[in-house]
Amino acid sequence: MEKIPIILDGDPGHDDAIAWVFAKADPRFDIKAVVSVAGNQTNEKTTRNTRAICALLGIDAPVARGAVRPITADPVTAGNWHGDSGLDGPKMPEPDQELSPLAAVDLMAKVIEESDKPVTIIATGPLTNVAELMIVHPEVKNNIGCISIMGGGLTHGNWCPAAEFNIFEDPEAAHLVFHAGIPMMMCGLDVTEKAIVLPSDIDRIRSVGNQVAEVVAGWVEFFIRYPMEIGYAGAPVHDPCAVLMLTHPEIFETKDLYVDIELEGEYTRGATVADFNGRPENKPNVKCALAIDRDKYIDLLVEALHAYDGREVKIR
Ligand code: BDR
Ligand code: CA
């Protein structure tokens, strides 16, 4: 089977972790590198979580530490959603491989340069690493097939009324990436808040019966608390959508749109502004997800978890 080389870039984060569960489970993907970024928690914490998730799932690609802060914005973290560790809840295995000696941008560039096929980047955190890759290694652009992101929202935000967390965290990075001229896919809050895991789904996840399913059930049990307190029906498990847009496009409705990033607005900094009217000067730069089949999403999660049947690692 022709595999697609991919780089996972995230700030785990419960939903980043579940995104990587999907990515590792799909036999069409060849994970070439995993890089961490500051976002849901400090980079030190997201890097530790990245390494533990790789040990849990059996991802043996090199792991590199990425950006410790946004390009110019003041860093914020989302401990209210993800806890003090950034991945509170079930116990995790110890990391089983050393960190790459390369910085994330250099590892990403190496993977892309050495690949005989275009590499896909799946970015589920702030876009700092990807933007820095464009700045430090602009020559690799031509061998990036696609950047699939969870970020933004075409109608609303979550961190503030107009901006979603990943874009709000580093709007300058997002601006650079959205204008890089590389094919992009965007799953914003419009679909990811519909990618809801309900309390009643947790038993179904756990009943898959393997170790990874047990951990994922535990992650959802932690991750569901805060959103339910503030009025969601369950846990919006955002980040896997950026994986599923590539592997299961049939569960989404999409539209090619021109999307720009607001960098100035007093109330709107970090907003993703889409031109739904298709003005001639605004050539579409992003394939945007507009709707998702939630029931299929849960079915696919259960199916992905079965890929880990028989896998058992030591948990501390
Ligand atoms: C995004 O922000 C983070 O808290 C999640 O991991 C997700 O990537 C949702 O706004
Ligand atoms: Ca994330």
Side-chain angles (χ1 to χ4, degrees), residues 11 15-16 40 124-125 166 239:
D11 60 339
D15 51 341
D16 302 79
N40 285 322
T124 55
N166 288 339
D239 291 339

Side-chain angles (χ1 to χ4, degrees), residues 28 244-254 291-293 296 300:
R28 292 167 292 178
L244 293 173
M245 269 281 267
L246 296 160
T247 58
H248 295 85
E250 70 283 359
I251 75 164
F252 297 93
E253 265 172 44
T254 62
I292 183 171
D293 181 336
K296 279 272 165 53
L300 290 171

Side-chain angles (χ1 to χ4, degrees), residues 69-305:
R69 51 157 299 130
I71 293 179
T72 59
D74 291 333
V76 287
T77 53
N80 47 352
W81 285 81
H82 298 275
D84 183 56
S85 71
L87 191 60
D88 278 11
K91 291 201 165 80
M92 292 291 287
E94 287 297 334
D96 60 357
Q97 58 159 317
E98 294 299 316
L99 262 184
S100 167
L102 299 178
V105 284
D106 298 329
L107 176 63
M108 293 164 96
K110 181 171 181 289
V111 163
I112 297 166
E113 263 163 13
E114 288 176 356
S115 177
D116 54 5
K117 274 180 274 177
V119 175
T120 292
I121 299 175
I122 302 176
T124 55
L127 289 167
T128 322
N129 289 335
V130 188
E132 288 180 359
L133 176 70
M134 305 291 142
I135 296 167
V136 182
H137 298 285
E139 70 283 357
V140 302
K141 271 191 199 175
N142 292 338
N143 206 26
I144 300 176
C146 171
I147 302 172
S148 181
I149 70 158
M150 186 284 135
L154 301 174
T155 57
H156 64 287
N158 60 358
W159 199 252
C160 61
E164 180 278 330
F165 178 79
N166 288 339
I167 307 294
F168 179 87
E169 172 88 13
D170 198 344
E172 280 71 24
H175 189 268
L176 206 148
V177 174
F178 276 65
H179 288 282
I182 296 169
M184 275 192 76
M185 292 182 178
M186 167 179 150
C187 285
L189 297 170
D190 324 277
V191 293
T192 67
E193 286 189 335
K194 310 256 161 48
I196 283 261
V197 178
L198 299 169
S200 54
D201 295 317
I202 296 175
D203 281 350
R204 191 171 163 217
I205 292 169
R206 180 164 278 125
S207 71
V208 170
N210 61 40
Q211 188 186 39
V212 172
E214 181 58 37
V215 172
V216 169
W219 283 337
V220 175
E221 276 166 346
F222 181 87
F223 191 55
I224 207 167
R225 292 184 213 171
Y226 179 69
M228 288 194 70
E229 256 170 56
I230 60 172
Y232 288 78
V237 180
H238 307 273
D239 291 339
C241 295
V243 177
L244 293 173
M245 269 281 267
L246 296 160
T247 58
H248 295 85
E250 70 283 359
I251 75 164
F252 297 93
E253 265 172 44
T254 62
K255 193 171 170 65
D256 291 335
L257 291 168
Y258 176 80
V259 181
D260 212 330
I261 309 295
E262 171 62 63
L263 295 179
E264 299 295 339
E266 184 179 352
Y267 303 109
T268 53
R269 179 168 152 80
T272 41
V273 182
D275 184 354
F276 278 94
N277 299 320
R279 289 166 180 76
E281 65 275 25
N282 288 338
K283 292 237 167 2
N285 56 345
V286 189
K287 183 174 284 305
C288 296
L290 303 180
I292 183 171
D293 181 336
R294 187 209 88 96
D295 292 347
K296 279 272 165 53
Y297 178 69
I298 304 297
D299 291 347
L300 290 171
L301 174 57
V302 168
E303 191 184 313
L305 287 170

